[in-house]
Each structure stands twice: as structure tokens, then as C-alpha cells.
Amino acid sequence: MKNTALSTTHEALGAKMVPFAGYNMPVSYEGVNAEHETVRTSVGVFDVSHMGEFLITGPNALALIQKVTSNDASKLVDGQAQYSCLPNTENGIVDDLIVYRLEAEKWLLVVNASNIEKDWDWIRSHNTMDADMRNLSEDYSLLAIQGPMAVEAMQSLTSEDLSAIKFYTFKVSNFAGIENVIISATGYTGSGGFEIYCKNSEVKQIWDKVMEAGTDWGIKPIGLAARDTLRLEMGYCLYGNDINDTTSPLEAGLGWITKFSKDFINAENLQKEKEHGPERRLIAFQLDERGIPRQGYDIVDGQGKKIGEVTSGTMSPSLGKGIGMGYVPTIMKDVGTQIHIQIRKNAVPATIIKLPFYKG
């Protein structure tokens, strides 16, 4: 089990630690609902240093990224980031990721913790153009400072105007006394804020100064359990739940990051799927009665026949209702369609709704 540079800090704060993606990670401190509420109303900080970072450089860096990712990275300028995915050859997804353009020949790919080795091997196997690849995952830490008060609470720590860092842009600047950190706004909670990429040797100083600077705003450390409820309320896909090696980006509603204006791995087959239309679609639903949907629960029709499966589900702390996502036949995907979630012996009625669940 690997530790992040802050594992002992979390333990000292009384965090409940669990194994996650091979790392010893804080799942909660004072409870998921309280932590969720902190991020929705003020500011919280997550240690997400288990995420993977690959540096791709050289004259052929963009060519490699264009080949292995579904989105069009050529549209980016320095200081912009882009959500994308790595398609496999079977109409599935190797991983979803964020692509950062640092310079014309210098790019950062941020991938999911559980897929670091898999993604590295996949990208390297397609690096026929000899772009320079470095896996920085073991050397870098990542903090996510999230919530509507994040910018105000953290402004004293940097000379950069945090309010000017718009969604999916970033700056390389000073923060908490450390130079050359990446300050990005690619949040996964829907409540604003930003992320800090720094070296492992720097993260403890940054963590301490972040907690100190946020005192007047009621800052609290937040665990992975609240990260999951926050992202689900926004309808953001989680790899391993809502997308995986067997789900196509088109089924998952990720057509907007699948750009056929360029050539990429499996583009031809995905183009055919787009023309015919996928047979199933990822939908969002809200329970009409009390209950908590969980991953793996059956989605059934009015006659009790299985039509799909829940991929993510929870009791929404913000809405006080059971919410979830799952795949159903395309003919049943429309907003307002009535479905049922099989929770033990009860088929609980639910309604397909438009994302996000949480409107802010």
C-alpha cells in the first residue's frame, strides 16, 4: 500500500483511512454529509495525490496526444486544459483524463490513480512518433481546494489573480511560498475552486498554509467519500463505475469530447456507432420514493424486467433524495421516462432527469 506525502497528516487529523487504487487514502474525517456541505457552502481541501501525471514533450508530443485521445488537443493554447478520453480498439475507454498544454511542445496528462500503469503502457505502445514521455506520478502531489469561498480564502497565498483563472484554464505561478506550481480550475465538484500540482517535498508546506489561510472561511479537510457524492450530484463520470473498457464514449454521453475532425485510435468504428446511434445510453435518475440506489442494482421496467444496471448511486446530501446513473436501452433514455430500481425486494419507482442533479 502506497502512502501520499500527506498520509501521516491525515491520520493525525483523525481521518478514516482506506485502501484506494493502491494508496492509503482518507475516505472521511467527520462524515460524508458534513464534508459535502462544507464544499457546497464554503471551502474544503482534498488530497488527491494518488492521481497520475505524465509529461509528454518534444516536437511530436501533440501528434501522440492527438492519436491516443478522443478530443482535439490542437485547439488548445498555452494555459488551457481539456477533458478527454483514451479510446481502446473495442469501442471502450482505456481511461478518461485531462490534457494540459504547458507549451507547444510540453504537455501534461492527468490520469486516474487506478489506471496509471495501464494508461502508461497503452500510450507508450502507440508512441510510434518517439515523443518524449516521463511518468511523474510518484514525484508529484495534487490538492483540490473546492467550494464557493475557495478563491477568496486562498488569494493571500499567491500573486496570481485566482478569480481570473477560468474553468479549464491554469497558471504556472507561485502559491504558499512555492514557485512554479500549477494552479488549475478543472474541478470535479461543481462548486468552483482550483487544484494545486506541486512536488511531494512541497505539499506539506502548501497544505499547512492552505489550512491556515482558510481558517476564517471554515476550511476543512475533505475525504474521498464526499468527493464521490459531490461529483455524482453533477453527473460527472467516474472511471470503473460509469465508464470502463466496455463502455463507448457515445453511450456514456461523451460525444462532446469525441471529435471526428481528426484521426485517433478507433475513430472509424466510433464514427459508425455515431451514425447508427448507440444501442444503450447512460442516463441519470432520481428516486420517486425513499431508498438508496447503489452500484450494481438492477434497473427494471414496470413489469419487473431487467433493462439495465446502476453504475453510480447515493443518497444526495444536497437534495435529500436517492440519485444515480446507469445504462438503459436508447429507446428508454428520454427525460421524464419512468423506470424502477430494484432495491432488495422492492422495485422503487424513479424518473429519468436531466443533469446535473445539483443546480447550485
Side-chain angles (χ1 to χ4, degrees):
M1 194 63 56
K2 296 177 184 175
N3 288 311
T4 74
L6 292 172
S7 289
T8 54
T9 301
H10 302 311
E11 288 165 357
L13 288 167
K16 180 184 178 185
M17 307 293 285
V18 298
F20 183 83
Y23 283 82
N24 188 27
M25 297 296 293
V27 68
S28 66
Y29 297 83
E30 60 174 324
V32 59
N33 286 0
E35 292 169 33
H36 183 110
E37 179 70 8
T38 293
V39 175
R40 285 281 180 249
T41 59
S42 53
V43 58
V45 57
F46 303 79
D47 176 14
V48 280
S49 302
H50 58 321
M51 300 290 280
E53 295 89 14
F54 305 154
L55 190 67
I56 315 292
T57 58
N60 294 320
L62 178 59
L64 174 60
I65 291 165
Q66 289 289 74
K67 181 178 181 180
V68 298
T69 66
S70 62
N71 210 336
D72 188 357
S74 70
K75 303 291 186 186
L76 298 177
V77 299
D78 293 1
Q80 285 185 330
Q82 182 184 74
Y83 181 59
S84 192
C85 77
L86 303 171
N88 64 22
T89 54
E90 311 295 323
N91 281 24
I93 299 171
V94 178
D95 201 5
D96 62 337
L97 74 163
I98 300 179
V99 177
Y100 291 83
R101 175 171 155 150
L102 299 164
E103 299 170 11
E105 297 186 5
K106 189 176 182 183
W107 301 73
L108 185 70
L109 309 184
V110 179
V111 303
N112 284 299
S114 55
N115 291 333
I116 293 172
E117 192 174 334
K118 170 188 167 189
D119 293 356
W120 177 261
D121 291 345
W122 176 261
I123 296 168
R124 189 172 59 178
S125 73
H126 292 282
N127 186 16
T128 55
M129 58 287 292
D130 290 328
D132 186 62
M133 295 176 58
R134 288 173 58 202
N135 187 349
L136 306 178
S137 307
E138 297 283 335
D139 304 317
Y140 275 76
S141 292
L142 172 58
L143 300 181
I145 305 163
Q146 297 284 292
M149 302 295 178
V151 168
E152 193 179 352
M154 296 297 120
Q155 187 57 66
S156 65
L157 295 180
T158 179
S159 59
E160 202 67 50
D161 180 3
L162 294 177
S163 65
I165 304 177
K166 302 305 180 189
F167 201 40
Y168 271 80
T169 70
F170 67 94
K171 294 283 188 181
V172 180
S173 190
N174 58 84
F175 190 83
I178 305 291
E179 296 294 329
N180 297 315
V181 302
I182 294 175
I183 308 171
S184 85
T186 58
Y188 196 52
T189 64
S191 282
F194 47 90
E195 302 77 49
I196 302 294
Y197 294 84
C198 63
K199 293 176 182 173
N200 290 343
S201 59
E202 300 166 339
V203 73
K204 181 63 165 69
Q205 176 177 322
I206 293 177
W207 174 277
D208 289 344
K209 293 202 172 185
V210 163
M211 295 301 286
E212 183 183 349
T215 301
D216 290 345
W217 286 266
I219 195 169
K220 291 180 181 177
I222 313 294
L224 294 181
R227 184 173 165 82
D228 193 46
T229 55
L230 289 157
R231 70 91 195 168
L232 181 50
E233 285 187 347
M234 298 308 297
Y236 295 149
C237 289
L238 176 64
Y239 194 89
N241 285 44
D242 315 298
I243 51 175
N244 57 39
D245 290 302
T246 65
T247 57
S248 89
L250 302 175
E251 290 176 335
L254 297 177
W256 62 281
I257 63 165
T258 309
K259 302 294 172 60
F260 298 109
S261 55
K262 61 158 200 171
D263 189 35
F264 60 88
I265 292 167
N266 205 41
E268 188 177 341
N269 288 332
L270 289 173
Q271 176 82 57
K272 288 176 185 172
E273 184 184 6
K274 182 181 180 181
E275 289 166 4
H276 296 131
E279 293 181 4
R280 61 177 190 158
R281 287 294 298 270
L282 183 66
I283 53 92
F285 64 85
Q286 187 169 290
L287 294 190
D288 300 331
E289 298 176 5
R290 287 198 63 76
I292 305 176
R294 300 289 187 198
Q295 182 188 20
Y297 284 8
D298 287 348
I299 301 174
V300 299
D301 62 17
Q303 288 70 50
K305 179 188 173 188
K306 181 177 178 178
I307 56 170
E309 195 171 278
V310 176
T311 54
S312 287
T314 194
M315 174 62 72
S316 163
S318 299
L319 307 177
K321 296 178 180 178
I323 61 170
M325 298 196 292
Y327 287 91
V328 299
T330 299
I331 56 170
M332 301 191 71
K333 74 172 177 59
D334 292 343
V335 169
T337 300
Q338 295 291 305
I339 56 175
H340 293 77
I341 310 301
Q342 192 69 43
I343 302 179
R344 290 177 289 280
K345 293 181 180 179
N346 299 320
V348 179
T351 303
I352 295 178
I353 69 166
K354 185 181 179 186
L355 288 169
F357 296 101
Y358 175 76
K359 304 296 195 290

